Amino acid sequence: MTKPHILQVGPYPEWDEIPLRESFTVHRYFEADDKSAFLAKAGPLVRAIATRGELGAGKAMIKACPNLEIVSVYGVGYDAVDLETCRARGIRVTNTPDVLTNDVADLGIAMMLCQSRGMIGAEQWVRDGSWRAKGLFPLKRKVWGRRAGILGLGRIGFEVAKRLKGFDMDIAYSDVQAKPYADGMEFVASALALAERSDFLFVTLAASAATRHIVGRDVLSALGPDGMLINISRASNIDEEALLDALENHKLGSAALDVFEGEPNLNPRFLKLGNVLLQPHHASGTIETRKAMGQLVRDNLTAHFAGGTLPTPVL
Ligand code: 8YV
């Protein structure tokens, strides 16, 4: 039996690459020097695209694959997939929800703690001899008992809230509507009102055109010079220029970010700032979770080509 041809947009760990090659004829887009020439040649053969959350599959890529049947995303976010074109052409889209929820929530909490307690600077204080030479590390801010806001109480936001309860925090959330499962949390109607009553603002929204820059200048000012923004969703949910201005001018206290516009080529202004914790988009990056994500990518592709029910369809 001939193997279906798939276009692989970005690399996966070896434990995913091997089974993928066993079941499919894989065209490795990310290795091509001339991407257009590569697509022109491989595109007509391709029946599936295997991609990653942040890489997606844009209009031009999908257009170059006239026989495309399915896009399987390694990630919960599918904002980088051109859904409109997929819908119009009857192309199925799948993602990897649930398996990564807890890891993403864990990293969000770790980022809050790390930044609030100044752990990166504190580590440096020990390593560079400052502890011995200068004495006590400068005092930082407490986390427990303070006010947390969660923007987007979906699966990940809910797990963040669960963890924050362990820190006895006063928790509020905002979403398109109040959620029936939001026990012990106040519903706030807008991102602005949420920022006004928060010390820590977690952004856990699925990104879409409707949520673009939902955290803008006004929200950042409301969070204020004592507030912290934690983003474990997508960069597009935040007006990055406004964020950089607010951090540079100390209108916002600090930020902890796992995602950036144009990543991995982030705006160099971030690198000059002392009040931001920078993470390389790795909230789902544990061996256990990435194995489960890779399996789900393959399970969706296998089910599709066997004519079965897709485990985790988006479209
Ligand atoms: C990435 C993500 O897919 O789940 C998402 O939406 O962005 C991530 O899990 C991951 O970094 C692999 O590229």
Side-chain angles (χ1 to χ4, degrees), residues 158-172:
F158 183 76
E159 286 301 324
V160 167
K162 233 167 85 181
R163 286 155 176 72
L164 294 177
K165 285 179 184 169
F167 294 94
D168 291 331
M169 293 181 89
D170 168 7
I171 307 167

Side-chain angles (χ1 to χ4, degrees), residues 135-154:
L136 295 177
F137 183 60
L139 300 181
K140 298 297 168 187
R141 296 301 307 271
K142 78 171 195 175
V143 165
W144 68 270
R146 291 178 75 203
R147 300 169 306 164
I150 301 176
L151 187 55
L153 199 72

Side-chain angles (χ1 to χ4, degrees), residues 43-213:
L45 301 168
V46 163
R47 294 174 64 196
I49 291 177
T51 186
R52 301 200 321 226
E54 73 278 31
L55 302 176
K59 200 181 269 304
M61 178 179 282
I62 294 175
K63 194 164 173 232
C65 305
N67 298 308
L68 184 64
E69 298 165 29
I70 182 169
V71 177
S72 186
V73 181
Y74 177 83
V76 67
Y78 45 84
D79 50 299
V81 177
D82 180 359
L83 288 188
E84 207 178 284
T85 303
C86 290
R87 207 173 276 121
R89 280 182 40 193
I91 297 164
R92 306 297 309 271
V93 177
T94 64
N95 65 345
T96 61
D98 300 317
V99 293
L100 49 67
T101 303
N102 285 303
D103 272 350
V104 176
D106 281 356
L107 194 83
I109 300 294
M111 285 159 63
M112 170 187 71
L113 287 168
C114 180
Q115 183 69 335
S116 200
R117 300 300 302 271
M119 290 177 70
I120 305 290
E123 150 98 7
Q124 198 53 29
W125 193 259
V126 177
R127 284 189 189 275
D128 70 9
S130 294
W131 190 14
R132 200 176 43 242
K134 302 182 196 163
L136 295 177
F137 183 60
L139 300 181
K140 298 297 168 187
R141 296 301 307 271
K142 78 171 195 175
V143 165
W144 68 270
R146 291 178 75 203
R147 300 169 306 164
I150 301 176
L151 187 55
L153 199 72
R155 284 174 282 231
I156 293 170
F158 183 76
E159 286 301 324
V160 167
K162 233 167 85 181
R163 286 155 176 72
L164 294 177
K165 285 179 184 169
F167 294 94
D168 291 331
M169 293 181 89
D170 168 7
I171 307 167
Y173 72 100
S174 188
D175 209 312
V176 280
Q177 61 196 34
K179 302 285 180 181
Y181 49 78
D183 285 345
M185 292 176 241
E186 187 191 335
F187 172 69
V188 176
S190 70
L192 183 59
L194 187 66
E196 274 163 358
R197 57 95 67 219
S198 299
D199 297 311
F200 300 94
L201 181 65
F202 287 85
V203 186
T204 49
L205 282 169
S208 68
T211 67
R212 186 174 161 73
H213 292 188

